[in-house]
Amino acid sequence: MEENKNLTAERSLEIIRESIERSQRTITKNSSWSMMWWGMLVVVFSLLTAFLWKNYGGPVWNFLWAAMWVIGYVGEWVIERYKDPVPTTFVSKTIGYVWSTFGIFCGSVGLILGLIGGGILSWELIMPNVFIMGSITSIICLCFGIATTITGAVVKNRVIQVCGLVAGLGGFFGALHYPDHRQLFVMAAVGVVGLVVPGIIVRVQNND
């Protein structure tokens, strides 16, 4: 009787493990379109904001990042309708929390910088006696890389992890070498390396 209980417990653990692994594979497959979608948005809005910043009014165009998030979530809603169904699990919740947190923090930074650039907020009110505009993009790139790397770790996909590591560290140090709108070209590169490339690779790996 005791042996049967042990076998039942072992089988239960095996079923749980198989369920988690299946969930990870499905989530990884589903995430490819989302990664490419958000990556392309980052590239487009980085280049658009850089162009408008340089030619038409300066950093006030950081307001566009708020528009990007709205467009992004609308597109994500459409993508969700065509994904393979997967039950809500700890894995999917964790990934959702990671990217929601990233979006809230970095989206807020972009919005605040837009308000400062438009003269609505005072720079001294936000960061008195310190001028660190040059490092803001670096910090966002680093957060971007961290979020991507954590996602890769959760779904156990080495490609996503490596791309996140390269994008985060490369973007952090790369952005420090460029002033003003030129930092956004680094942000565009981070979007390609950190989202578009792994999204395409994951898609190819799944033969879709």
Side-chain angles (χ1 to χ4, degrees):
M1 184 69 177
E2 186 68 26
E3 184 178 351
N4 289 336
K5 286 183 178 179
N6 289 335
L7 288 174
T8 301
E10 290 176 1
R11 178 55 182 161
S12 297
L13 290 174
E14 184 179 353
I15 292 173
I16 293 172
R17 179 181 60 79
E18 291 175 350
S19 176
I20 292 174
E21 290 178 350
R22 186 165 53 250
S23 174
Q24 287 174 326
R25 288 193 298 269
T26 303
I27 291 170
T28 302
K29 178 181 177 181
N30 285 344
S31 67
S32 62
W33 283 117
S34 294
M35 294 176 72
M36 288 186 287
W37 166 244
W38 283 102
M40 288 185 292
L41 282 179
V42 170
V43 172
V44 169
F45 275 83
S46 293
L47 298 178
L48 177 61
T49 303
F51 173 78
L52 294 173
W53 182 337
K54 178 183 178 181
N55 298 288
Y56 301 101
V60 66
W61 291 103
N62 279 300
F63 273 124
L64 288 175
W65 292 110
M68 189 202 78
W69 290 113
V70 173
I71 294 172
Y73 281 113
V74 170
E76 187 67 26
W77 176 78
V78 174
I79 292 172
E80 287 288 342
R81 301 184 64 182
Y82 295 96
K83 287 182 178 179
D84 294 337
V86 59
T88 301
T89 63
F90 174 76
V91 174
S92 61
K93 284 183 178 180
T94 299
I95 293 175
Y97 294 150
V98 168
W99 285 103
S100 295
T101 302
F102 168 82
I104 291 171
F105 275 83
C106 294
S108 297
V109 169
L111 181 60
I112 290 171
L113 291 179
L115 293 172
I116 292 173
I120 299 174
L121 287 180
S122 167
W123 180 262
E124 288 74 18
L125 178 65
I126 304 300
M127 286 174 280
N129 303 319
V130 179
F131 186 79
I132 61 170
M133 178 70 82
S135 66
I136 293 295
T137 303
S138 293
I139 293 171
I140 292 177
C141 289
L142 185 64
C143 291
F144 198 108
I146 291 172
T148 301
T149 304
I150 292 174
T151 299
V154 171
V155 299
K156 294 184 177 180
N157 187 289
R158 188 61 56 85
V159 170
I160 297 176
Q161 286 180 275
V162 172
C163 287
L165 184 65
V166 172
L169 293 178
F172 176 80
F173 291 108
L176 293 175
H177 292 277
Y178 300 96
D180 304 325
H181 69 279
R182 280 174 282 183
Q183 294 177 5
L184 295 174
F185 297 131
V186 177
M187 181 73 77
V190 168
V192 172
V193 176
L195 287 178
V196 177
V197 170
I200 292 173
I201 293 175
V202 168
R203 211 67 196 169
V204 171
Q205 287 176 339
N206 286 276
N207 297 317
D208 287 331

